[in-house]
Amino acid sequence: MLKLLSAVTLITFISLSANAQTPDSTLKPSPVKTLSDVQYNALIKGEDFYNMSLVADVNKYPSAEQALKYKKELDLSPSQVTALTGITTELKRKKIEMGNFMVTNETKLDALFRAKKISESDLIYYTNRYGLYMGELRNAILKTYVAAYNLLSPGQIAKLNKLKKS
């Protein structure tokens, strides 16, 4: 099961990488040769390059960041603003942390392959670590949507969904 999960994660990563590269992103080399410059910068800056929030978005869960963007229109209370600000701050920290872990992991994997010193146990370890980092990142992202959903009233959520469409 763990090997299957690793294989699926790796295949997903490779297919997203291939689809995400634009001519510009392949011109500027990344510090990690197995990541495009766009991927590398997104991971380091804590951007959701892999659209990990899609399941929450399509099911109309609110993002804390968007709720704060429309705080006046949603008539957020001071306690809601404080809680949502804390959620977005912690998510940004977690995205940067996980992005750095993924870059470090990819750098080590590249070094092992380049030196022709990769073993089966190294391969299992580093690919499984990558899957764990991706899972932890997605959990952190989706957890913020659930938290925002629980902080906002049904009326605020409905209004936010209308504001996002316009």
Side-chain angles (χ1 to χ4, degrees):
M1 178 68 179
L2 197 51
K3 287 183 181 182
L4 177 61
L5 180 60
S6 296
V8 169
T9 301
L10 187 58
I11 290 168
T12 302
F13 175 72
I14 290 168
S15 67
L16 286 171
S17 299
N19 290 335
Q21 288 187 1
T22 63
D24 291 343
S25 73
T26 57
L27 295 177
K28 183 178 178 190
S30 161
V32 182
K33 69 180 180 183
T34 56
L35 296 172
S36 72
D37 191 55
V38 172
Q39 289 171 306
Y40 175 82
N41 286 320
L43 289 169
I44 295 299
K45 292 177 184 174
E47 296 170 1
D48 185 7
F49 183 77
Y50 302 105
N51 201 15
M52 293 183 170
S53 64
L54 186 59
V55 69
D57 289 330
V58 299
N59 287 292
K60 299 192 181 347
Y61 274 71
S63 94
E65 189 176 331
Q66 287 198 330
L68 286 171
K69 179 180 174 184
Y70 295 109
K71 66 183 172 185
K72 288 181 183 173
E73 294 87 343
L74 298 175
D75 193 28
L76 296 179
S77 70
S79 64
Q80 284 177 312
V81 171
T82 301
L84 291 167
T85 301
I87 289 168
T88 58
T89 301
E90 175 56 21
L91 178 59
K92 186 67 172 178
R93 184 203 65 76
K94 189 66 168 181
K95 287 165 135 180
I96 291 170
E97 176 187 44
M98 289 298 105
N100 281 309
F101 285 157
M102 286 186 262
V103 166
T104 300
N105 194 73
E106 192 66 19
T107 302
K108 181 64 177 171
L109 197 55
D110 176 55
L112 288 168
F113 269 94
R114 189 173 352 105
K116 309 281 190 264
K117 293 186 177 183
I118 190 77
S119 68
E120 186 174 344
S121 61
D122 287 335
L123 188 58
I124 291 168
Y125 177 79
Y126 287 105
T127 56
N128 285 341
R129 293 304 308 166
Y130 194 86
L132 289 172
Y133 297 144
M134 292 287 278
E136 189 169 340
L137 178 57
R138 189 163 195 210
N139 176 58
I141 291 168
L142 293 175
K143 194 162 57 169
T144 65
Y145 281 75
V146 173
Y149 179 85
N150 291 330
L151 276 170
L152 300 176
S153 71
Q156 288 172 320
I157 293 170
K159 190 168 190 175
L160 179 59
N161 285 325
K162 286 180 186 173
L163 289 167
K164 287 184 342 187
K165 288 181 182 176
S166 51

